[in-house]
């Protein structure tokens, strides 16, 4: 410290730099003294520290009133050599650097010896950066999962269990058994005993079904603890603790059961079968029941994913089905109750053998388990024989008892036309022989093709996934399997503790009309806050509806909590007869977006606006995209003068296709009088130069407008027009004494490249007035699109 002070006071700054470098190389011995340095000395030393020391210096820097953010930002630029997306929104460069650093080292794309600041023998790259990792992406052959579950990274995995919130999978390829075992351990630790709340999967054109079902099942909180969860030949410690507690509880219950059995045998039923105790013991041990039910399961054809061990699991008589999902407890709870009628009857017989008050004990598979089995997670699908194993009475009994399998609304998928496989009908077993662990609250599947088999699995998982808050299914090729997903969602909606609040469904082809799907989901989930339905094209076979699926649009929609509704129609007519009941039931609606709809007549839009004014007083944002409004000028003006709306979007709506100059003047005057409108977005309406210049009058001296944001992207604007708009805007600001609320202008995809110097001058002057967002766009690529305005 004395040497540093002397260097600063007596010598040139280069001498201080030499002293600081010497101190930084001896931080192992001087660290405590360095943290006590005054701020002006510490400021010069911090950039000379390695990542390990810099991370440890955070507390000392904070106490000295210093920020390390510029240092971490420079580290990012020097090491990563890329500009991160949305860099303007990054609030902590320390976390951003260490999180990306962790991922790059894990996947082998960053060599720590490439920069001296990363090369510290005290610094373990994965260990020291893992506490800062809140989201992680695993891809390709899942080598990252193998590395994280290696014995030397136990502490890294523990750190991730406490810090990781979002787990993503991308471009997954088929993997061998050892890699899947590593994935099992990773998911169990990070989800079931960790803090991961979101699982997302991206871009798998041909997904490995085994991996997909594994990830879905464990994300939903289902798994059987056992050998598959062994960590280097030792069972999961957290599950072992819970197992010990369960055994104590089971022993206590067994003692009470034997007492009840003695009382019952003495008084109530002296003629009971002598084989009953043996059956009961077999049920408790979890092995004898397999033999007892073999004849039942022999009539079921296993699906491709179900192996012998899985069949063994499905033949067990399940235990207490009470379960908690999404709670804070990471420990496993009881097995899921089977819904198969024959299994249920057997369970009742076994249960009656030990008395009505006796509870089924949790049990392990014991000697019946296959120690090498990894595939017990495939416990969702089995096919029914055409021989009719499930008779009508049994099916009715199940529907009345548990409401698990039925073709009625609110039930699980039981073989709709959209869920059937070639060669026969399909039925569904619920989750069997599985413990319930902690589950995630957000599931996202982007560009993951879902077959009928995986849709049945997902439907079965959704039916009891009460912790699920956000569900995103995007471009999964559902087709008719949408009915299978809806079946699981209906079953989920009947749970009083269901937390689902956001549903987003998008795909290329729609197998049912958009409004019908909206009505179907809202009628089952009136508690939704956000619903987004989006399709690119209409399926020509849309009218072929599976049996047992009546039109959802005919159902009455209860009053909902919906706040945001987004609908992208596949060039469908906007029939207000179906949309208006939804709007009337959504009193809390704040955002409405209608995309690619066609208006069959002018009255339809008028009816829509009337209902919005009367029934949706909280509506703040309204968006129309690719909706032809050329013949609806009156309705456009009514929207612009609405005293409640704060953001209006007319995107690619052909506003000026058949309009006169008077219409533009009416728009400007209407916006000038509206003091509530904050954002006006007009992309893709072929404004051209002259209309852009006219829009500057919105900010004239006599205007009462509070407009803050204006979007004129994709509007054939040339540099000279932008410069003229800028000069006119500057004049209005000068007339108003510099008082203007306009803050943001968006200029994406305009013809600014045609005169670079003029465009540069216009942008320079505009940026002195407001924030300008534009891009480097080659207008020559879009010549044909804008030929009509040239």
């Amino acid at each position: 410290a004395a040497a540093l002070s002397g260097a600063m006071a007596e010598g040139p700054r280069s001498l201080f730099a030499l002293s600081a470098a010497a101190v930084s190389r001896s931080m192992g011995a001087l660290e405590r003294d360095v943290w006590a340095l005054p701020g002006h000395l510490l400021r010069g030393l911090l950039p000379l520290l390695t990542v390990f020391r810099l991370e440890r210096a955070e507390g000392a820097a904070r106490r000295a009133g210093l920020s390390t953010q510029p240092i971490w930002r420079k580290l990012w630029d020097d090491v990563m050599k890329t500009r991160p997306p949305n860099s303007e929104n990054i609030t902590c460069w320390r976390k951003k650097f260490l999180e990306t650093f962790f991922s790059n080292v894990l996947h082998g794309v960053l060599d720590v010896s490439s920069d001296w600041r990363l090369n510290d023998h005290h610094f373990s790259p994965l260990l020291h950066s893992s506490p800062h990792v809140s989201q992680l992406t695993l891809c390709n052959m899942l080598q990252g999962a193998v590395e994280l579950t290696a014995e030397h990274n136990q502490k890294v995995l523990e750190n991730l269990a406490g810090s990781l919130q979002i787990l993503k999978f991308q471009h997954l390829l088929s993997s061998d058994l050892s890699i899947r075992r590593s994935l099992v351990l990773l998911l169990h630790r990070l989800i079931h005993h960790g803090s991961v709340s979101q699982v997302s999967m991206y871009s798998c054109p041909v997904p490995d079904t085994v991996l997909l079902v594994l990830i879905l099942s464990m994300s939903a909180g289902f798994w059987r603890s056992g050998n598959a969860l062994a960590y280097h030949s030792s069972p999961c410690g957290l599950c072992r603790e819970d197992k010990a507690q369960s055994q104590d509880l089971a022993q206590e219950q067994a003692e009470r059961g034997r007492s009840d059995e003695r009382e019952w045998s003495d008084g109530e039923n002296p003629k009971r079968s002598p084989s009953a105790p043996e059956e009961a013991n077999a049920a408790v041990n979890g092995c004898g029941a397999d033999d007892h039910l073999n004849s039942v399961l022999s009539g079921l054809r296993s699906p491709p994913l179900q192996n012998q061990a899985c069949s063994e699991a499905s033949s067990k008589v399940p235990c207490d089905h009470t379960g908690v999902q999404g709670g804070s407890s990471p420990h496993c709870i009881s097995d899921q109750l089977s819904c198969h009628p024959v299994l249920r009857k057997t369970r009742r017989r076994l249960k009656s053998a030990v008395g009505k008050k006796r509870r089924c004990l949790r049990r392990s598979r014991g000697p019946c388990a296959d120690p090498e089995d990894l595939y017990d997670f495939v416990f969702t699908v089995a096919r029914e024989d055409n021989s009719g194993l499930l008779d009508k009475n049994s099916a009715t009994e199940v529907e009345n008892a548990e409401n698990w399998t039925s073709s009625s609304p609110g039930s699980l998928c039981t073989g709709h036309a959209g869920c059937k496989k070639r060669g026969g009908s399909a039925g569904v077993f619920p989750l069997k022989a599985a413990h319930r662990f902690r589950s995630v609250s957000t599931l996202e599947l982007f560009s993951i093709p879902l077959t009928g088999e995986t849709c049945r699995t997902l439907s079965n998982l959704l039916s009891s996934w009460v912790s699920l808050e956000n569900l995103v299914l995007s471009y999964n090729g559902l087709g008719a399997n949408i009915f299978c997903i809806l079946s699981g969602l209906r079953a989920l909606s009947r749970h009083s503790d269901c937390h689902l609040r956001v549903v987003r469904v998008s795909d290329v082809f729609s197998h049912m009309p958009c409004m019908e799907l909206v009505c179907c989901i809202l009628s089952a989930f009136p508690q939704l806050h956000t619903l987004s339905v989006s399709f690119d094209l209409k399926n020509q076979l849309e009218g072929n509806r599976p049996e047992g699926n009546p039109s959802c649009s005919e159902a009455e929609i209860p009053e909902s909590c919906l706040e945001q509704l987004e609908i992208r129609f596949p060039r469908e007519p906007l029939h207000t007869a179906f949309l208006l009941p939804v709007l009337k039931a959504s009193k809390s609606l704040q955002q409405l977006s209608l995309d690619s709809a066609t208006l069959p007549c002018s009255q339809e839009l008028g009816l829509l606006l009337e209902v919005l004014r009367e029934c949706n007083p909280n509506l703040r944002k309204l968006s129309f995209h690719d909706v032809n409004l050329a013949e609806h000028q009156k309705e456009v003006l009514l929207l612009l003068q609405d005293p409640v709306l704060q953001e209006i979007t007319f995107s690619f709506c052909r506003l000026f296709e058949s309009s006169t100059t008077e219409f533009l003047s009416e728009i400007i005057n209407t916006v000038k009088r509206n003091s509530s409108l904050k954002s006006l977005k007009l992309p893709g309406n072929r404004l051209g130069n002259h209309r852009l210049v006219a829009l500057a009058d919105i900010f004239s001296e006599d205007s009462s407008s509070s407009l803050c944001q204006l979007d004129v992207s994709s509007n054939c604007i040339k540099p000279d027009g932008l410069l003229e708009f800028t000069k006119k805007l500057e004049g209005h600001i000068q007339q108003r004494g510099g008082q203007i609320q306009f803050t943001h202008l968006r200029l994406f995809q305009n013809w600014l490249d045609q005169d670079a110097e003029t465009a540069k001058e216009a942008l320079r002057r505009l940026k002195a007035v407001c924030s300008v967002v534009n891009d480097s766009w080659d207008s020559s690529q879009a010549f044909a699109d804008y030929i009509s305005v040239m």
Side-chain angles (χ1 to χ4, degrees), residues 120-185:
D120 188 320
H121 69 277
H122 295 96
F123 182 55
S124 174
L126 294 181
L127 179 62
H128 289 101
S129 59
S130 56
H132 302 275
V133 179
S134 60
Q135 62 176 331
L136 176 65
T137 300
L138 300 176
C139 52
N140 300 330
M141 296 296 293
L142 292 172
Q143 292 301 320
V146 176
E147 177 66 20
L148 290 176
T149 53
E151 187 170 6
H152 61 272
N153 281 325
Q154 292 186 48
K155 182 59 178 176
V156 174
L157 194 57
E158 290 180 16
N159 289 343
L160 288 178
S163 66
L164 196 66
Q165 300 290 326
I166 301 173
L167 182 59
K168 299 179 180 180
F169 297 92
Q170 191 169 19
H171 307 306
L172 290 188
L173 304 175
S174 297
S175 55
D176 59 27
L177 183 61
S178 62
I179 293 178
R180 288 195 290 269
R181 287 183 182 276
S182 297
L183 180 61
V184 167
L185 175 60

Side-chain angles (χ1 to χ4, degrees), residues 35 46 53-64 66-69 72 92 94 132:
W35 299 160
L46 289 175
R53 300 296 176 184
L54 182 61
E55 203 274 336
R56 291 167 63 90
E58 286 294 325
R62 195 179 304 111
R63 289 190 297 271
L66 302 176
S67 172
T68 61
Q69 291 299 303
W72 289 107
C92 182
R94 172 195 179 199
H132 302 275

Side-chain angles (χ1 to χ4, degrees), residues 220-273:
F222 284 103
W223 192 251
R224 267 188 34 256
S225 60
N227 290 323
L229 293 179
Y231 188 36
H232 306 297
S233 303
S234 300
C236 171
L238 297 174
C239 289
R240 190 166 60 243
E241 294 174 6
D242 182 70
K243 183 178 180 181
Q245 297 175 2
S246 301
Q247 288 175 345
D248 293 340
L249 178 61
Q251 183 176 0
E252 181 181 345
Q253 291 175 336
E255 292 175 356
R256 286 201 303 267
R258 284 193 292 270
S259 176
D260 293 339
E261 184 180 345
R262 287 194 297 270
E263 293 176 3
W264 180 54
S265 62
D266 291 341
E268 291 185 8
N269 191 3
K271 298 181 180 181
R272 65 185 177 94
S273 169

Side-chain angles (χ1 to χ4, degrees), residues 588-628:
S588 303
L589 192 66
Q590 298 179 17
Q591 300 182 42
L592 174 63
S593 176
L594 302 177
D595 188 342
S596 303
T598 59
L599 299 172
C601 61
S602 58
Q603 289 79 11
E604 295 286 324
L605 186 57
L607 290 173
L608 172 63
L609 300 187
E610 182 179 348
V611 170
L612 289 177
R613 285 195 301 269
E614 295 177 357
C615 303
N616 306 105
N618 298 313
L619 189 66
R620 296 293 182 267
K621 297 181 180 181
L622 179 62
S623 173
F624 292 93
H625 175 78
D626 201 10
V627 179
N628 189 352

Side-chain angles (χ1 to χ4, degrees), residues 549-571:
N549 283 279
S551 175
C552 295
S553 59
E554 300 172 1
E556 182 179 354
I557 301 176
E559 185 171 343
S560 71
C561 302
L562 197 65
E563 297 178 356
Q564 182 175 349
L565 176 62
E566 301 173 356
I567 308 174
R568 184 184 183 193
F569 300 86
R571 300 297 175 186

Side-chain angles (χ1 to χ4, degrees), residues 693 696 721-731 745 761-767 769:
V693 174
L722 183 62
L723 182 58
E724 189 176 349
F725 168 82
T726 303
K727 292 177 179 178
K728 195 172 184 180
L729 182 62
E730 289 174 338
L745 177 66
E761 173 67 13
L763 291 173
R764 183 187 63 80
R765 297 173 67 167
L766 266 177
K767 290 178 180 179
V769 175

